[in-house]
Amino acid sequence: MSHLPPDHPPVKPRKIGVLIANLGTPDSPGYWDMRRYLNEFLSDKRVIDYPAWKWQPILQGIILTKRPFSSGKNYALIWDKAKDMSPLMVITMAQTEALRARLAQDYGEQVMVDFCMRYGNPSTESKVAEMVAAGCDRIVFFPLYPQYAGATTGTANDQFFRALMKEKWQPAVRTVPAYFDRPSYIEALAASVEEKMGDAELLVCSYHGMPKRYLMEGDPYHCQCQKTTRLLRERLGLPEEKIITTFQSQFGPEDWLRPYTVEEVAARAQAGVKRIAVVAPAFSADCIETLEEIEGEIRESFEHAGGESFTYIPCLNERPDHIEALADAVKENLAGWI
């Protein structure tokens, strides 16, 4: 920029940032890394909304003393030892690289693509700072949760906005909304089911749970999960009795969204269903809830109740049709910017 005076600070060429976000992961399955991660996660008021005076003594005095051991053992079962990363980190990195390559086909080097995690590393704040430093004066922020929930999309956006508060020159921003009913997402989800379902008698769509109270307070997550299942059923051409919606990962004493996956698969086995397939449409990448909970606890519940064939259908991860669906959503939100 030849028109700038000699003593002017350097100005980077303008770029647009695309920052995808996922939940996060501990740096290792070890006790202290697990404790730091769980403390950040379970201290989030979007996740646990009890008053701090009531919740923090329980969290700091009881939960964070014991749970890092049990959670660490579960993470150790699925940890990618060759890369020394959790599967969620490995997959998110692959998704980022694939999305970067896909968007480069249309926009060249005008768009900078990176990822962050809501909890743990790399932090949202660090990646926003990197994008601003690289010259991004506009950022599309994309939480990779197909269905909106305050405890997932909402808190990811919160953290993004908090990061923006620290920037002297704040970029213009757009946040990508939930994509649970995008035709390209449903098509990719259906294709993954068709490839793996085989002769299963029942398709179980297992979504991450949340307290029922959140639904009653206006969170749209439950309704968006139900619609995802309906759209998937219609695309697959399945009768209503061949596909069900369930919820997993309950925590604490409250009543959560029902039916609970771990109980429902056992009940179906006891009723004579021998072969089921389970898909997790709320997760964009395989993680502890799918690789350990579904493949472990939920599988065991079904088999111990008399079930004979349990098929887990992997998340969409870095499948080309999934990357294309994500790219479609990004390009829609880049409209007018590029």
Side-chain angles (χ1 to χ4, degrees):
M1 296 186 179
S2 57
H3 59 281
L4 294 177
D7 61 344
H8 195 284
V11 177
K12 296 279 188 179
R14 296 176 65 195
K15 286 186 176 183
I16 298 175
V18 174
L19 184 58
I20 65 175
N22 216 317
L23 183 75
T25 168
D27 293 329
S28 80
Y31 177 85
W32 291 109
D33 283 339
M34 284 301 315
R35 185 182 174 107
R36 279 190 293 271
Y37 173 74
L38 291 172
N39 184 46
E40 185 179 8
F41 175 46
L42 297 175
S43 292
D44 187 345
K45 294 287 286 184
R46 287 275 200 176
V47 175
I48 307 291
D49 63 356
Y50 300 147
W53 65 265
K54 178 187 293 185
W55 173 242
Q56 282 298 321
I58 297 171
L59 177 63
Q60 302 299 330
I62 301 173
I63 295 173
L64 292 181
T65 300
K66 298 180 179 179
R67 189 159 179 177
F69 288 112
S70 58
S71 294
K73 289 179 181 177
N74 291 336
Y75 267 97
L77 294 173
I78 64 168
W79 202 258
D80 188 323
K81 295 179 177 60
K83 297 181 179 179
D84 194 23
M85 297 177 183
S86 73
L88 178 62
M89 180 66 75
V90 173
I91 293 167
T92 303
M93 291 173 69
Q95 290 173 325
T96 303
E97 182 58 38
L99 184 61
R100 182 182 294 128
R102 176 61 188 86
L103 293 177
Q105 294 176 17
D106 294 331
Y107 307 121
E109 296 183 358
Q110 297 179 80
V111 173
M112 175 181 179
V113 181
D114 211 336
F115 77 96
C116 64
M117 297 296 188
R118 171 60 184 89
Y119 314 105
N121 297 307
S123 69
T124 306
E125 181 179 328
S126 69
K127 289 302 179 178
V128 168
E130 284 182 22
M131 285 191 162
V132 172
C136 294
D137 62 355
R138 290 155 291 172
I139 297 176
V140 172
F141 184 68
F142 193 173
L144 293 188
Y145 305 105
Q147 300 80 18
Y148 175 94
T152 53
T153 308
T155 190
N157 287 337
D158 289 346
Q159 195 74 349
F160 177 57
F161 296 137
R162 278 191 286 267
L164 292 172
M165 292 171 65
K166 300 187 176 182
E167 293 302 325
K168 184 70 70 176
W169 184 354
Q170 199 174 61
V173 301
R174 292 173 178 171
T175 60
V176 179
Y179 55 99
F180 65 98
D181 57 354
R182 289 187 72 90
S184 53
Y185 161 69
I186 295 297
E187 182 61 33
L189 191 61
S192 73
V193 172
E194 289 174 331
E195 291 170 12
K196 300 290 185 179
M197 185 173 174
D199 63 352
E201 304 163 70
L202 180 70
L203 178 62
V204 179
C205 295
S206 181
Y207 299 83
H208 198 288
M210 70 162 50
K212 184 178 179 181
R213 172 171 55 86
Y214 291 12
L215 165 64
M216 307 314 293
E217 291 172 349
D219 195 298
Y221 178 72
H222 177 265
C223 300
Q224 293 183 3
C225 292
Q226 296 288 354
K227 186 171 183 180
T228 299
T229 300
R230 176 176 64 79
L231 293 174
L232 178 61
R233 176 181 63 79
E234 291 172 354
R235 163 58 182 79
L236 293 171
L238 293 175
E240 291 188 15
E241 66 272 13
K242 294 294 185 181
I243 183 171
I244 61 172
T245 297
T246 63
F247 299 91
Q248 63 182 84
S249 309
Q250 293 75 35
F251 175 80
E254 285 195 72
D255 188 30
W256 283 44
L257 298 177
R258 292 177 182 267
Y260 298 157
T261 305
V262 69
E263 296 177 357
E264 187 66 17
V265 297
R268 295 296 178 128
Q270 291 166 354
V273 175
K274 299 299 183 184
R275 304 181 305 279
I276 68 170
V278 180
V279 66
F283 299 93
S284 61
D286 277 306
C287 54
I288 191 75
E289 287 86 358
T290 62
L291 299 175
E292 195 282 324
E293 186 178 359
I294 292 179
E295 283 279 50
E297 179 186 3
I298 292 169
R299 174 189 289 273
E300 290 171 7
S301 178
F302 178 69
E303 293 176 347
H304 289 170
E308 295 177 358
S309 175
F310 182 100
T311 300
Y312 170 61
I313 300 169
C315 292
L316 295 178
N317 297 329
E318 67 270 34
R319 287 173 57 103
D321 49 5
H322 186 213
I323 299 303
E324 193 63 37
L326 299 181
D328 286 346
V330 170
K331 289 189 285 185
E332 183 177 284
N333 283 272
L334 287 172
W337 274 4
I338 194 168

